[in-house]
Amino acid sequence: NAGVTQTPKFQVLKTGQSMTLQCAQDMNHNSMYWYRQDPGMGLRLIYYSASEGTTDKGEVPNGYNVSRLNKREFSLRLESAAPSQTSVYFCASSDGPRDIQYFGAGTRLSVL
Amino acid sequence: RKEVEQDPGPFNVPEGATVAFNCTYSNSASQSFFWYRQDCRKEPKLLMSVYSSGNEDGRFTAQLNRASQYISLLIRDSKLSDSATYLCVVSVQAGTALIFGKGTTLSVSS
């Protein structure tokens, strides 16, 4: 079972470049999430989408945009990457009432 | 005050030991509680949900004290494979944000 699939797994960007992180889930979940994880900071929510067509800001949304393309896909875009956005990014989806989140394998992003 | 607080550790224990992790949360409206496990450079995975009555899954026991806003995880008979970071997680409303603690690192040695 694929679960939550993220692409790419690794990426190196130069300051000012843009890129989109892709996420897709095959579990028919309504809610999807983007987190970043930095050493000593734990997981922090960037954006989430409670259902298709809706998105909401999380704890650290500045510098990011998201698109809930359909029920399966939720993308994260960095318009002008900054070194402070060097991090590991995780996408997750959840199964509604039980509120259990399932994570993708992560994208390791370095911005030089 | 951080919404979910955990002792970061590390906890270094020998195989067979019993180890307990504690967690406190600040929002009294929190509804759902979990322990996730994260291996080095991997994604977090659900270890167990935590219920008010307490629950057990094999060697793992989780407890919730809503009055004290306190969650615990007990691991008995530790195995080498239990070495990981354990994340205390809280949710105020289903389908919205989970709030993660920074994690407690466990290292089990032979």
Side-chain angles (χ1 to χ4, degrees):
Chain A
N1 295 333
V4 179
T5 303
Q6 289 183 236
T7 56
K9 286 185 167 45
F10 302 93
Q11 184 71 47
V12 178
L13 294 177
K14 294 181 179 179
T15 298
Q17 287 185 316
S18 63
M19 79 161 293
T20 299
L21 280 63
Q22 306 287 353
C23 176
Q25 52 93 7
D26 63 2
M27 295 175 282
N28 201 36
H29 289 165
N30 284 321
S31 299
M32 296 185 73
Y33 310 82
W34 277 105
Y35 294 90
R36 60 178 289 173
Q37 188 173 35
D38 303 292
M41 298 296 295
L43 278 152
R44 292 182 291 169
L45 183 68
I46 305 171
Y47 272 93
Y48 69 99
S49 171
S51 61
E52 187 179 353
T54 68
T55 60
D56 286 283
K57 295 179 180 179
E59 181 183 355
V60 289
N62 291 343
Y64 305 95
N65 287 301
V66 290
S67 296
R68 183 73 183 268
L69 304 169
N70 47 54
K71 191 171 185 179
R72 289 187 64 247
E73 298 173 286
F74 188 38
S75 62
L76 178 72
R77 183 162 178 83
L78 287 68
E79 290 290 353
S80 179
S84 60
Q85 294 177 306
T86 294
S87 188
V88 180
Y89 292 85
F90 289 104
C91 177
S93 68
S94 72
D95 66 350
R98 290 194 307 153
D99 213 14
I100 294 170
Q101 292 194 8
Y102 300 85
F103 286 79
T107 296
R108 283 161 179 76
L109 175 67
S110 292
V111 183
L112 306 177
Chain B
R1 179 184 171 187
K2 183 70 178 168
E3 293 189 63
V4 178
E5 294 197 48
Q6 298 181 246
D7 182 343
F11 284 64
N12 298 305
V13 302
E15 276 186 291
T18 295
V19 61
F21 303 141
N22 302 318
C23 167
T24 57
Y25 60 95
S26 61
N27 190 337
S28 60
S30 298
Q31 296 293 322
S32 302
F33 309 88
F34 311 93
W35 285 99
Y36 277 69
R37 170 191 168 128
Q38 186 172 25
D39 294 299
C40 187
R41 299 181 68 79
K42 299 286 190 180
E43 72 272 23
K45 292 184 179 179
L46 179 70
L47 178 67
M48 57 197 304
S49 300
V50 186
Y51 304 113
S52 295
S53 56
N55 48 299
E56 186 174 308
D57 183 2
R59 297 181 293 108
F60 299 85
T61 301
Q63 298 279 353
L64 169 64
N65 184 322
R66 286 186 182 268
S68 301
Q69 296 180 202
Y70 171 93
I71 307 162
S72 65
L73 176 68
L74 184 74
I75 304 175
R76 292 181 299 278
D77 189 23
S78 298
K79 311 291 185 191
L80 293 174
S81 58
D82 293 334
S83 296
T85 297
Y86 291 82
L87 305 171
C88 178
V89 184
V90 169
S91 171
V92 174
Q93 180 181 347
T96 61
L98 290 183
I99 310 300
F100 285 79
K102 293 182 180 180
T104 299
T105 299
L106 173 66
S107 178
V108 181
S109 56
S110 58

